[in-house]
Amino acid sequence: METTTEETAVELPALDAPFLSEIVPNVVDFCLTNGLISGRGPNVVGHVAATLLPTPFPRQEFERALRVQPDFNSLYDTVRSDASFLQTELKSAAVTDDFTRKLLELHNDVIAKEKTTGSNSLSMSIHRADYMLHSTENRQSIKQIEVNTISCAFGGLGSIVHKLHHFVLERYISETDKKPILAGMPKNSALQEIADAMGQCVTEYKKKFGNTGIVVMVVQPGEMNSIDQRLIEFTLWERQHVKMRRMSLTQIQSQCTKSGNALMVGDDEVALVYYRAGYTPNDYPSEKEWDARALVEHSQCAKCPSIADQLAGTKKVQQRLADRNVLEKFTSNKDTADSLLDTMAGLYTLSDDDDGDKAALSALAAPHDYVMKPQREGGGNIVADNDMVQALQTMSKEERSAYILMERIRPKVEKNYIIRNDSVDEFLCVGELGIFGIFLKNGDDVIINSAKGHLLRTKPSHVEDGGVAAGRASLDSPCLY
């Protein structure tokens, strides 16, 4: 990854190797006793990968990301409601991508049913817009990497990593060094806000259908990030007294039934199905899992996300929304379109047409200026540098159509210390800021539309595509300046 180095207004203190070795045991124990935990194997857990100190981030760009999130929430609500747009834009990707094809088939089934029975129109979205800082000669500005519309992780763990940073700063760093850092750390209530929004969704379900209900979290078998998920489950119970059940798609297929249009798990009526799985082909090893997804889609419970919301978050749709002419069809006014476009990185089609050919030639001519992205979530999917050149030279145009091209972002690097697997190392790092957005709608009434907390993930600058769960990045928190 190409990066830039510049001075910042907040300087992190330099920590030498003997000092780091001395504090590591205490830092590891702090993580373990405060819930900063992730799975390392069957029935084995350890501390989550995290930075020792918060990473400097420009306040102006942080606040801009928060400010535009409600407009992104509204945008994706409008996009998901346009079934024809979703089907048309993803048609070419579905030719060679079976997963996209299956999602579109399910979407078509839902559309057909709604034409005959109508929509229950209770919907909930938890999105996360991810940004990196793009550095030019004159400024740093956020550029959107993607909008995640399904399985937006780390609302739990990402909300408590600041506790680790406060512990390290208060206990080990001098007053002079720590004071400006502590002053720049914003509060992060993503965990509580997500749980409260789920509770509100259950309340809206009761208003609409007359019965109270539970929340079902759809999870992957053998999930290694269950602590992040459990934090939401237990916070939902603590703050809203709403029960949540964890189920795989296979379990939903075998254990869930319908009573009228209500989804049932035993004697419990389901008000909301919250997906922390279902975003990868690996989650559908047989038709049973697709049957489970269809069962949920055809029930009256709120889905987070619905199949339409998941399709709206695909890379191809995001690429189309980066076109002003397309974006303005889905936004309320030109000023809104301008503010959204200003945060977007350049996204280009690789479809089997003149525009796709032109984009492919540009990437081959300057491969270090672009990356390729498929219609996938979960990290680890970027194709870059020589791999991208080889892919473009060997793929058929139909295969190429399942990808988009994104301009490469030139992030600024910051020195920080990452603790992973009980040891700590100093790295030149780059950060990725995520803003959680929640959108809850009952019929035509918008109940919630706002930014609800943040997430910062940091990785060594040499790592091209990083996710915490994938073992490439670490949890972090921002220090605003």
Side-chain angles (χ1 to χ4, degrees):
M1 175 176 289
E2 295 185 30
T3 56
T4 63
T5 55
E6 303 168 12
E7 292 186 0
T8 58
V10 176
E11 293 293 332
L12 299 183
L15 308 178
D16 61 29
F19 174 79
L20 292 172
S21 297
E22 179 185 342
I23 71 170
V24 161
N26 283 349
V27 170
V28 169
D29 285 348
F30 183 90
C31 289
L32 296 176
T33 55
N34 284 272
L36 285 164
I37 302 168
S38 61
R40 293 187 179 177
N43 302 314
V44 178
V45 297
H47 71 85
V48 72
T51 60
L52 279 187
L53 301 169
T55 295
F57 198 97
R59 182 181 298 274
Q60 177 177 314
E61 294 304 298
F62 179 84
E63 292 176 347
R64 184 156 73 103
L66 289 172
R67 192 167 56 248
V68 299
Q69 187 58 46
D71 287 331
F72 273 114
N73 295 342
S74 296
L75 170 64
Y76 279 89
D77 175 57
T78 306
V79 170
R80 73 181 177 191
S81 301
D82 192 332
S84 176
F85 174 78
L86 293 175
Q87 289 284 329
T88 299
E89 295 303 329
L90 290 167
K91 183 178 179 180
S92 62
V95 173
T96 58
D97 186 338
D98 287 340
F99 184 56
T100 301
R101 177 180 58 79
K102 292 283 284 186
L103 292 174
L104 285 176
E105 288 175 354
L106 178 55
H107 183 234
N108 258 327
D109 290 344
V110 172
I111 296 167
K113 182 177 179 182
E114 288 180 350
K115 286 180 179 178
T116 58
T117 64
S119 170
N120 69 55
S121 65
L122 177 63
S123 60
M124 181 176 178
S125 302
I126 300 174
H127 295 164
R128 197 187 68 228
D130 291 339
Y131 302 90
M132 295 184 80
L133 281 171
H134 183 63
S135 294
T136 61
E137 186 174 338
N138 299 320
R139 63 174 293 200
Q140 292 185 82
S141 58
I142 53 170
K143 289 298 177 184
Q144 192 176 94
I145 304 297
E146 62 183 347
V147 174
N148 300 276
T149 61
I150 183 170
S151 188
C152 299
F154 295 112
L157 289 172
S159 296
I160 60 175
V161 71
H162 71 278
K163 292 182 179 180
L164 170 64
H165 293 149
H166 274 275
F167 169 73
V168 172
L169 288 164
E170 295 281 11
R171 181 159 177 174
Y172 297 111
I173 307 302
S174 71
E175 184 69 27
T176 301
D177 286 337
K178 73 184 179 186
K179 188 174 181 180
I181 301 174
L182 288 168
M185 292 177 63
K187 293 182 179 179
N188 189 4
S189 59
L191 174 59
Q192 294 79 12
E193 297 283 7
I194 290 170
D196 287 351
M198 289 181 175
Q200 184 64 47
C201 183
V202 172
T203 298
E204 295 299 320
Y205 182 90
K206 185 175 182 179
K207 289 180 183 178
K208 193 172 189 69
F209 300 109
N211 298 322
T212 192
I214 69 166
V215 178
V216 168
M217 180 188 291
V218 185
V219 298
Q220 295 171 331
E223 173 65 64
M224 293 295 182
N225 194 29
S226 62
I227 301 302
D228 180 62
Q229 300 168 356
R230 289 288 193 180
L231 284 168
I232 295 173
E233 176 185 350
F234 299 149
T235 304
L236 176 63
W237 178 256
E238 179 184 324
R239 293 174 66 90
Q240 300 292 327
H241 219 62
V242 171
K243 184 168 72 172
M244 176 182 283
R245 288 191 58 169
R246 295 167 59 83
M247 302 182 75
S248 68
L249 284 168
T250 308
Q251 289 171 325
I252 288 174
Q253 191 274 338
S254 63
Q255 298 177 29
C256 288
T257 58
K258 284 179 69 176
S259 175
N261 285 324
L263 184 68
M264 306 295 296
V265 184
D267 294 331
D268 289 324
E269 189 164 335
V270 180
L272 169 65
V273 173
Y274 168 54
Y275 285 92
R276 292 297 292 265
Y279 56 86
T280 168
N282 296 334
D283 291 334
Y284 303 85
S286 72
E287 284 301 311
K288 289 182 179 180
E289 289 73 29
W290 287 108
D291 290 344
R293 188 71 189 269
L295 177 67
V296 173
E297 285 294 324
H298 292 308
S299 73
Q300 67 191 24
C301 66
K303 301 94 184 169
C304 184
S306 66
I307 186 67
D309 207 4
Q310 182 173 352
L311 290 172
T314 55
K315 303 300 183 291
K316 179 61 179 175
V317 171
Q318 291 179 34
Q319 176 258 310
R320 292 292 289 138
L321 294 176
D323 182 322
R324 174 179 290 278
N325 293 328
V326 176
L327 181 64
E328 288 185 349
K329 295 178 182 178
F330 294 105
T331 50
S332 57
N333 56 65
K334 183 178 180 298
D335 289 343
T336 299
D338 287 343
S339 66
L340 297 182
L341 281 170
D342 194 43
T343 69
M344 295 181 185
L347 300 173
Y348 310 97
T349 183
L350 286 172
S351 296
D352 182 7
D353 56 25
D354 289 344
D355 289 338
D357 291 343
K358 181 179 178 181
L361 288 173
S362 295
L364 289 170
H368 298 302
D369 291 339
Y370 302 94
V371 297
M372 284 172 59
K373 303 176 81 172
Q375 314 301 314
R376 291 289 183 272
E377 303 296 336
N381 298 308
I382 285 177
V383 184
D385 300 322
N386 291 335
D387 290 338
M388 182 181 69
V389 171
Q390 184 177 4
L392 288 172
Q393 289 175 337
T394 57
M395 282 180 173
S396 68
K397 290 186 177 183
E398 279 190 343
E399 291 172 325
R400 190 186 72 189
S401 295
Y403 291 75
I404 66 165
L405 194 68
M406 187 180 84
E407 71 170 323
R408 185 184 286 273
I409 294 171
R410 314 288 182 186
K412 176 189 171 185
V413 299
E414 299 277 2
K415 284 186 179 181
N416 209 329
Y417 307 87
I418 295 176
I419 183 165
R420 182 192 303 278
N421 298 329
D422 303 335
S423 64
V424 63
D425 292 291
E426 180 180 356
F427 292 98
L428 289 174
C429 300
V430 295
E432 186 172 322
L433 175 70
I435 302 296
F436 289 100
I438 298 181
F439 192 89
L440 176 61
K441 191 175 182 180
N442 192 345
D444 293 328
D445 296 330
V446 177
I447 311 301
I448 303 173
N449 179 19
S450 58
K452 295 292 188 181
H454 60 271
L455 167 70
L456 189 65
R457 291 165 295 171
T458 292
K459 62 187 179 183
S461 60
H462 66 271
V463 175
E464 186 67 57
D465 187 13
V468 178
R472 300 181 183 91
S474 56
L475 293 179
D476 197 352
S477 55
C479 169
L480 305 181
Y481 64 90

